[in-house]
Amino acid sequence: MDLSYTPAELVFREEVRAFIRDNLPESIRAKAGLSAYYDGSDVRTWHKLLDAKGWAASHWPMEYGGPGWSAVQRYIFMEEILQAPAPEPLSFNINMVGPVVYTFGSPEQKERFLPKIRSLDYWFCQGFSEPGAGSDLAALRTSAVREGDDYVINGQKIWTSTAHDADWMFCLVRTDPSAKKQEGISFVLIDMKTPGVTVRPIITIDGEHHTNEVFLDNVRVPVVNRVGEENKGWDYAKFLLGNERTGIARVGLSKGRLQRARRLAELSEVLDGKLSEDPFFRRRCIELEIELKALEVTALRIIDRQRKRNDGKPDPASSILKLRGAETQQFSAELVAEVAGPLGLAFTHGSKAPWQDLAEDDLTAVLGAVPNYFLSRAATIYGGASEVQKNIISKAILGF
Ligand SMILES: Cc1cc2nc3c(=O)[nH]c(=O)nc-3n(C[C@H](O)[C@H](O)[C@H](O)COP(=O)(O)OP(=O)(O)OC[C@H]3O[C@@H](n4cnc5c(N)ncnc54)[C@H](O)[C@@H]3O)c2cc1C
């Protein structure tokens, strides 16, 4: 197994780095310390710049506008985006609904949706979770009843991230209430402007608006907006969730936070000198560095296995990446919050001492350290909670 980068891959890394440096708008770069706080227009602007370069849909087949990169190139690309940091290409579009449409959609759906999914002209959100259906997703109750050429949809989705920015929602609905719970589900695309769709904000513990409740009251959705076969939606959802987990470790994000924590610690005085020289702080940085190295090697091993298997199926080992990656994101957010100290608690701009000479992105990192830390607690819940990942690892990898 070869885990080192080739010279060509290292050249590619430089190309990506230079593109981000030369093209990321200054107004977005200034928010870099608060990677979770880009607003919808920041995400759209950067996504469109990547799309114009042909880089928005890094793992899509070339016939649908993918760049034709290897798995290692894709990994390098994401690492550079996250480490910069810059907004990620919108995962709901690129990692989730796009691959479902090009794998299971009709020719008309591919033609109508794929270019707009790729370019973010259609921003999609994910309508899977419901009150009472999270880890046990197949328990979902939102119903879709066929009336002529439409489905009439009634129910409620919850925790729907970015629904307030979205133009469309890919949604799991129950089309056969009498079938076994996994067998009566369909996958439909809902225009968020359809009468009967109501979006209500849920403010998360960081005080921000990331998630929503979405209410669906007699929402008429044309049957042609169902992807794949009726009652086979569970298969498409499993395919989608496997894709969601690959790349979710966000090694680059934690690496960027570690660099930032070290930079800030250079400026921070504690009782007997700089924080950066404190043995306890240095030990924590090294522990994080070791964890990140292990995660990176695990990600490359999984990529190497996928390259050899080449069957397009998600690897259950991606659950290891999700589990450990989410924990590492929390650890790195905690480290930055600790270095930021009381100013990180401000939530708003207060006294900037001792940070008055900081670059703007470092300053936003200090001021956003605690909200970022709070939001990072959700990383072990969304995309499949940690306990669920452990169940997958024990069954599919350890064979219990
Ligand atoms: C910030 C955030 C953003 C989100 N964005 C979206 C989104 O855009 N779209 C969407 O559809 N959903 C989204 N979700 C929902 C997310 O997918 C669910 O919260 C998650 O699947 C857990 O479901 P639940 O909240 O119902 O918790 P539950 O499933 O009720 O779990 C509660 C606890 O029980 C544990 N548990 C459950 N089942 C088992 C088991 N079999 N074995 C051991 N332990 C178990 C869980 O690990 C957890 O600790 C988001 C959630 C958050 C927090």
Side-chain angles (χ1 to χ4, degrees), residues 54-170:
W55 286 2
S58 65
H59 59 279
W60 288 21
M62 288 176 82
E63 61 179 307
Y64 303 124
W69 288 339
S70 68
V72 176
Q73 282 178 301
R74 298 198 300 260
Y75 179 81
I76 291 172
F77 172 73
M78 274 316 293
E79 192 172 82
E80 289 303 320
I81 291 274
L82 287 165
Q83 210 169 328
E88 297 168 54
L90 192 73
S91 185
F92 299 119
N93 280 37
I94 301 302
N95 299 336
M96 300 189 206
V97 72
V100 170
V101 172
Y102 65 65
T103 309
F104 304 107
S106 65
E108 296 74 29
Q109 287 171 336
K110 290 181 196 174
E111 194 180 332
R112 177 177 173 203
F113 286 104
L114 285 178
K116 291 191 159 122
I117 291 175
R118 204 197 61 226
S119 65
L120 205 55
D121 285 329
Y122 287 169
W123 179 314
F124 269 85
C125 61
Q126 178 184 26
F128 278 19
S129 305
E130 297 181 4
S135 303
D136 184 14
L137 184 57
L140 65 93
R141 288 186 306 186
T142 293
S143 73
V145 177
R146 182 102 181 228
E147 270 186 23
D149 292 335
D150 292 338
Y151 288 113
V152 179
I153 299 183
N154 280 287
Q156 184 197 341
K157 298 292 170 180
I158 196 165
W159 305 117
T160 322
S161 303
T162 77
H164 51 296
D165 285 311
D167 309 295
W168 286 78
M169 174 164 70
F170 56 90

Side-chain angles (χ1 to χ4, degrees), residues 207-375:
E208 297 287 334
H209 181 193
H210 305 290
T211 59
N212 303 275
E213 294 176 286
V214 178
F215 297 90
L216 303 160
D217 296 308
N218 291 317
V219 176
R220 295 193 86 89
V221 174
V223 172
V224 290
N225 286 3
R226 187 192 71 227
V227 180
E229 290 178 52
E230 193 172 67
N231 299 325
K232 293 275 183 234
W234 188 246
D235 293 344
Y236 315 140
K238 278 196 302 190
F239 168 87
L240 180 148
L241 291 171
N243 286 338
E244 183 183 0
R245 268 165 216 151
T246 320
I248 208 164
R250 298 204 164 96
V251 175
L253 178 70
S254 296
K255 270 192 185 175
R257 283 185 183 148
L258 175 60
Q259 284 166 5
R260 197 179 295 276
R262 283 187 158 139
R263 203 161 55 234
L264 294 173
E266 276 293 309
L267 302 168
S268 184
E269 296 288 329
V270 286
L271 284 182
D272 36 359
K274 286 182 182 176
L275 178 60
S276 55
E277 282 153 20
D278 175 69
F280 183 69
F281 174 77
R282 291 175 63 167
R283 198 186 78 190
R284 296 198 63 191
C285 290
I286 287 165
E287 277 169 5
L288 179 55
E289 206 169 340
I290 292 169
E291 187 67 28
L292 284 169
K293 187 45 90 183
L295 213 50
E296 188 170 18
V297 170
T298 308
L300 291 172
R301 281 173 59 190
I302 292 173
I303 289 171
D304 190 61
R305 264 169 40 149
Q306 274 171 344
R307 195 163 37 190
K308 287 183 184 132
R309 286 192 332 181
N310 208 16
D311 60 2
K313 288 199 183 135
D315 190 330
S318 59
S319 286
I320 300 175
L321 289 180
K322 165 66 178 69
L323 178 69
R324 299 296 287 175
E327 288 169 356
T328 308
Q329 282 169 55
Q330 293 175 341
F331 189 82
S332 60
E334 189 177 330
L335 193 66
V336 177
E338 282 180 13
V339 179
L343 192 56
L345 285 169
F347 273 62
T348 53
H349 291 239
S351 157
K352 291 176 186 164
W355 312 107
Q356 61 269 29
D357 297 329
L358 283 186
E360 195 168 356
D361 61 328
D362 276 337
L363 184 61
T364 49
V366 170
L367 294 169
V370 171
N372 247 344
Y373 163 75
F374 281 146
L375 189 66

